[in-house]
Amino acid sequence: MNRKMINYFIVMCIVILFDQLTKYFALVNQAFVANEGMLFGSFSDTSAVIRISLITSGSIIFFIIYFFMMFFLSDKLKILKMGISFLFGGAISNAIDKVYLNFVVDFIPISFGDYIFYANVSDIIQLFGVGIILYYIFLCQDDIWFPDDKRGVILVSPSSQIKFALKFFIVCICSLL
């Protein structure tokens, strides 16, 4: 692992530590809402063992994907890598809550008209990270993707890649059902 990758990993760890610290203060002051589900309360009616096993295995997969992305993305994409670190740090912090507390600590009320929901610092940092990622994907795509296929070598043929992606998508959908 090179020094630049370590810097992004440190940013991810700072996000996790900062979020855990704010959640600790919310727990101590008992000013929080317990979110027992996963994404937007999903899987809240399943057993804790299933939720924890999904979260821990998902977190391991997250770490693998994170390190591959940090390794293979160009060094010119510093801000994109920072956005990815924000996204992954917030997700891992929420996963830590789910494993140790069996719920995510939400304490920031956000309202849209009559609808009020609660978030935490990691949710806000994740949204910020997603914003950075979307900005780069849509507006700086020439820096991410190689224009006119200037990579020189294609490891997988595009048709094989599309077939694999479709099969993988079908397997994911079937496993969710």
Side-chain angles (χ1 to χ4, degrees), residues 14-77:
I14 289 171
V15 168
I16 293 169
L17 289 173
F18 180 68
D19 182 57
Q20 290 297 313
L21 184 65
T22 59
K23 288 176 182 177
Y24 172 77
F25 287 125
L27 283 169
V28 168
N29 295 326
Q30 295 184 356
F32 69 94
V33 174
N35 179 359
E36 294 181 355
M38 289 174 94
L39 183 63
F40 300 116
S42 61
F43 294 111
S44 58
D45 56 347
T46 59
S47 70
V49 173
I50 293 173
R51 281 195 310 247
I52 290 173
S53 63
L54 283 172
I55 290 166
T56 53
S57 61
S59 297
I60 292 168
I61 293 170
F62 253 36
F63 268 119
I64 292 169
I65 292 171
Y66 174 77
F67 284 114
F68 272 110
M69 291 177 80
M70 292 297 115
F71 182 75
F72 285 115
L73 284 175
S74 171
D75 289 338
K76 295 187 305 184
L77 301 170

Side-chain angles (χ1 to χ4, degrees), residues 161-173:
Q161 190 173 0
I162 290 172
K163 287 178 187 176
F164 175 78
L166 287 174
K167 289 177 186 176
F168 184 72
F169 178 74
I170 290 170
V171 167
C172 289
I173 293 297

